[in-house]
């Protein structure tokens, strides 16, 4: 089976895509369809040196994909005749049903749709993306790769919320965790870099992008993660608060007269760094801090405080830690966050070499001194490649 895979990540108003060889990781083309359903949409498509931009109304996902597939043709890549082996879809919530890459059939698609109750902001968009691709490329096998899958191994003590057990069971309320594809990918890459099997290593992974999560990985198996039943729990994120006293929600509904969608809007779009400082982008936050902005500084301090709280929790859970891994936009690019997250922990064997931390090189790098007992690594994530490999493996089996 050809190792060429088209990977799609469909959001509510956007679709990210990449066409790549899953063996060599060579990317033939990639692009982003944005502002679907709005007055004016945009597609940016890149294939080698060619960059095509489309500006115009994109009424729905299928229209956006159809236009993007034309742009593939315009750059000499006809998706129907290229010999693509599979289409891999990122699907956010697999619930208790899916914890392995899964070939998409009508039944599977229906089950993913049913899981929309657990992820109303994500799964419906994933379903629309899958339906559109199936219509446009009906002859290709389509594979769903779930963001929750890697955390399926969490023990009951980590995944159970202490609420009425009958209600929790009836409503499927438990910790599922997200960003699993990235946590798994970077922890495997870290093991490769350290020249040891993942089974022999305990790792703490910080995936710090717009969304952010940490995980505690014992011998290659995830035993805890910060995100919960939804991607709202845990670390402070660009626009989400992470951990919050659950009493705040009913309080706000009463005191500030917010309804369900008002609360959802507040917690998903207007909290986190944005809620505290007005900006959700970390680079902008850093610029504000440099101008002496007190709100931005507090946002940064809250962000780092939360990272350290989970670092402490996971150090205790694991007992011994071999590697601490930073990944995603902030994790890969902010030396300040890495240094502040791990400051003052020399007695625990955790140390950062300031020069290594500041030196930017592509690929995986160690930022701890050679003598430090705990390896601190920066590992670029590549969720598209991980999805492509999972999809190729499934259809080749
Ligand atoms: P996502 O995939 O969740 O949308 P990313 O992993 O691309 O997010 O991370 C986006 C975040 O990374 C943004 O907050 C952005 O400001 C931050 N980021 C990117 N580059 C840098 C940098 N050089 N320094 C600090 N933060 C950065």
């Amino acid at each position: 089976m050809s190792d060429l895979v088209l990977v799609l990540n469909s959001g509510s108003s956007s679709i990210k895509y990449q066409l790549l060889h899953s063996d060599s990781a060579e990317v033939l083309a990639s692009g982003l369809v944005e502002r679907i359903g709005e007055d004016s949409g945009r597609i940016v498509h890149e294939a080698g040196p060619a960059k095509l931009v489309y500006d115009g109304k994109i009424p729905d996902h299928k229209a956006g994909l159809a236009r993007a597939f034309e742009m593939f043709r315009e750059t000499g890549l006809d998706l129907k005749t290229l010999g693509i082996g599979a289409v891999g879809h990122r699907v956010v919530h697999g619930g208790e049903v899916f914890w392995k890459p899964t070939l998409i059939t009508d039944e599977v698609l229906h089950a993913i749709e049913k899981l929309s109750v657990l992820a109303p902001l994500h799964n419906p968009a994933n379903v629309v993306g899958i339906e559109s691709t199936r219509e446009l490329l009906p002859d290709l096998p389509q594979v769903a790769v779930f963001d929750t899958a890697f955390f399926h191994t969490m023990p009951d003590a980590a995944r159970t919320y202490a609420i009425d057990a009958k209600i929790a069971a009836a409503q499927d309320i438990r910790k599922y965790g997200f960003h699993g594809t990235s946590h798994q990918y970077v922890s495997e890459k870290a093991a490769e870099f350290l020249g040891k099997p993942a089974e022999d290593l305990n790792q703490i992974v910080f995936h710090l992008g717009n969304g952010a999560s940490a995980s505690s990985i014992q011998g290659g198996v995830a035993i805890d993660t910060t995100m919960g039943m939804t991607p709202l729990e845990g670390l402070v994120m660009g626009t989400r608060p992470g951990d919050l006293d659950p009493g705040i929600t009913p309080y706000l509904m009463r005191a500030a007269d917010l309804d369900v969608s008002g609360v959802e809007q507040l917690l998903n779009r207007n909290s986190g760094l944005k809620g505290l400082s007005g900006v959700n982008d970390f680079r902008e936050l850093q610029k504000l801090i440099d101008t002496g902005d007190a709100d931005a500084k507090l946002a940064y301090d809250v962000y780092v405080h939360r990272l350290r709280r989970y670092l402490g929790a996971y150090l205790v859970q694991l007992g011994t830690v071999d590697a601490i891994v930073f990944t995603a936009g902030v994790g890969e690019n902010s030396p300040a966050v890495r240094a502040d997250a791990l400051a003052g922990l020399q007695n625990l064997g955790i140390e950062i070499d300031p020069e290594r931390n500041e030196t930017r090189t592509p690929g995986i790098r160690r930022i701890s001194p050679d003598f430090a007992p705990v390896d601190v690594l920066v590992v670029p994530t590549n969720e598209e490649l991980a999805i492509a490999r999972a999809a190729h493996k499934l259809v080749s089996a």
Side-chain angles (χ1 to χ4, degrees), residues 175-193:
K175 186 185 270 284
Y176 293 95
F178 300 88
H179 289 150
T181 306
S182 176
H183 284 268
Q184 180 170 17
Y185 175 82
V186 298
S187 59
E188 287 173 1
K189 281 276 157 199
E192 243 175 76
F193 179 82

Side-chain angles (χ1 to χ4, degrees), residues 352-364:
I352 281 187
D353 176 308
E355 199 179 316
R356 286 184 179 180
N357 188 31
E358 294 285 343
T359 310
R360 210 176 271 270
T361 49
I364 304 186

Side-chain angles (χ1 to χ4, degrees), residues 75-281:
T75 50
L77 300 164
D78 185 339
L79 296 180
K80 289 204 164 133
T81 57
L82 266 179
I84 293 174
V87 181
H89 294 271
R90 175 183 185 219
V91 177
V92 168
H93 218 306
E96 287 275 42
V97 188
F98 300 109
W99 61 91
K100 286 192 178 134
T102 304
L103 195 65
I104 299 171
T105 59
D106 290 343
E107 293 75 42
V108 167
L109 190 57
H110 183 60
I112 294 172
E113 201 166 10
K114 269 177 71 182
L115 289 167
S116 293
V117 244
L118 293 176
L121 304 178
H122 298 95
N123 273 36
N126 300 153
V127 168
V128 173
I130 293 169
E131 280 172 343
S132 307
T133 319
R134 287 177 100 203
E135 285 171 33
L136 292 166
L137 300 170
D139 298 329
L140 294 182
Q142 318 258 338
V143 176
V145 178
F146 297 91
D147 231 29
T148 46
F150 183 56
F151 298 114
H152 185 71
T153 49
M154 284 188 295
D156 285 345
R159 63 181 227 172
T160 303
Y161 290 109
I163 60 166
D164 184 312
K166 286 196 200 74
I167 293 180
Q171 306 297 335
D172 295 323
I173 294 172
R174 51 159 285 196
K175 186 185 270 284
Y176 293 95
F178 300 88
H179 289 150
T181 306
S182 176
H183 284 268
Q184 180 170 17
Y185 175 82
V186 298
S187 59
E188 287 173 1
K189 281 276 157 199
E192 243 175 76
F193 179 82
L194 296 172
K196 295 197 180 138
E199 297 76 50
D200 292 351
L201 294 172
N202 288 347
Q203 303 189 40
I204 297 173
V205 174
F206 287 102
H207 173 112
L208 309 176
N210 261 318
S213 61
S215 67
S216 164
I217 304 175
Q218 189 169 50
V221 175
I223 60 166
D224 206 352
T225 189
T226 54
M227 281 182 169
M229 174 178 159
T230 74
L232 279 178
E233 193 181 348
L235 302 179
V236 176
M237 312 182 210
T239 60
R240 301 178 216 144
D243 295 340
L244 203 65
D245 175 353
I248 291 173
T249 303
Y251 172 79
L252 274 176
M253 293 177 90
R254 249 186 265 111
D257 200 22
L258 287 181
D259 60 7
V260 173
S261 65
V263 169
E264 270 182 347
Q265 176 78 9
L266 175 75
L267 299 182
N268 284 291
R269 303 253 168 261
N270 296 323
S271 297
L273 298 176
K274 185 172 179 207
L276 290 172
S277 72
V279 298
N280 64 288
D281 188 283

Side-chain angles (χ1 to χ4, degrees), residues 321-340:
V321 174
D322 302 290
I324 296 173
V325 178
F326 288 93
T327 193
V330 177
E332 290 169 33
N333 296 301
S334 172
V337 165
R338 296 190 297 256
D340 290 336

